[in-house]
């Protein structure tokens, strides 16, 4: 089994900052990429930022220059530093890992339980 555990969500005023953390544990052979998605009420789940095992990053246009994704490969962890937060950043943030489990030939997506981020105006 593989688990992704997120932390760091909360309530913050517009212009403030939050840092999300996610750690993957279990029978993991290799993590190809980790990332963060978010889903606001009544909307689809969208990519916020992702980072590959090689360190390449990808950001949604709406967060470029404000959010920074980083990764600690040794800890199987990914972080999202969110600065200059806006009310429209309010959503449930989900950690994602595309990984290959020990003893498996294929890689699959795994998800965390989600953490609420609320930005007040």
């Amino acid at each position: 089994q593989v688990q992704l555990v997120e932390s760091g969500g909360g309530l913050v005023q517009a212009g403030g900052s939050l840092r999300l953390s996610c750690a993957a544990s279990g029978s993991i052979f290799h993590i190809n990429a980790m990332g963060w998605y978010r889903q606001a009420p009544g909307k689809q789940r969208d990519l916020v930022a992702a980072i590959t095992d090689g360190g390449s990053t990808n950001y949604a246009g709406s967060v470029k220059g404000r959010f920074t994704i980083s990764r600690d490969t040794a800890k199987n962890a990914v972080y999202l530093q969110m600065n200059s937060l806006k009310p429209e950043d309010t959503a449930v943030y989900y950690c994602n890992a595309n990984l290959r489990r020990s003893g498996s030939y294929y890689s699959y997506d795994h998800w965390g339980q989600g953490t609420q981020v609320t930005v007040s105006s």
Side-chain angles (χ1 to χ4, degrees):
Q1 291 289 347
V2 172
Q3 280 191 316
L4 272 64
V5 179
E6 301 133 334
S7 61
L11 173 64
V12 65
Q13 287 189 332
S17 299
L18 283 174
R19 185 175 187 249
L20 304 182
S21 300
C22 171
S25 62
S27 56
I28 298 169
F29 178 78
H30 181 73
I31 299 179
N32 302 308
M34 298 186 79
W36 292 92
Y37 289 69
R38 66 187 181 187
Q39 187 169 20
K43 296 188 177 181
Q44 66 181 23
R45 188 177 298 186
D46 291 325
L47 174 70
V48 176
I51 185 167
T52 69
D53 53 358
S56 297
T57 58
N58 183 35
Y59 293 92
S62 60
V63 307
K64 279 183 179 178
R66 300 189 298 123
F67 291 10
T68 302
I69 191 169
S70 60
R71 181 174 172 178
D72 187 331
T73 303
K75 295 182 178 179
N76 287 336
V78 65
Y79 310 97
L80 187 67
Q81 178 65 43
M82 304 184 294
N83 298 328
S84 302
L85 282 161
K86 304 175 180 180
E88 50 264 42
D89 294 317
T90 295
V92 177
Y93 284 68
Y94 295 92
C95 177
N96 169 273
N98 182 271
L99 61 86
R100 180 178 165 186
R101 293 175 56 183
S102 300
S104 175
Y105 182 78
Y106 299 102
S107 294
Y108 296 95
D109 281 331
H110 292 73
W111 295 90
Q113 79 284 359
T115 185
Q116 178 71 45
V117 171
T118 302
V119 184
S120 62
S121 57

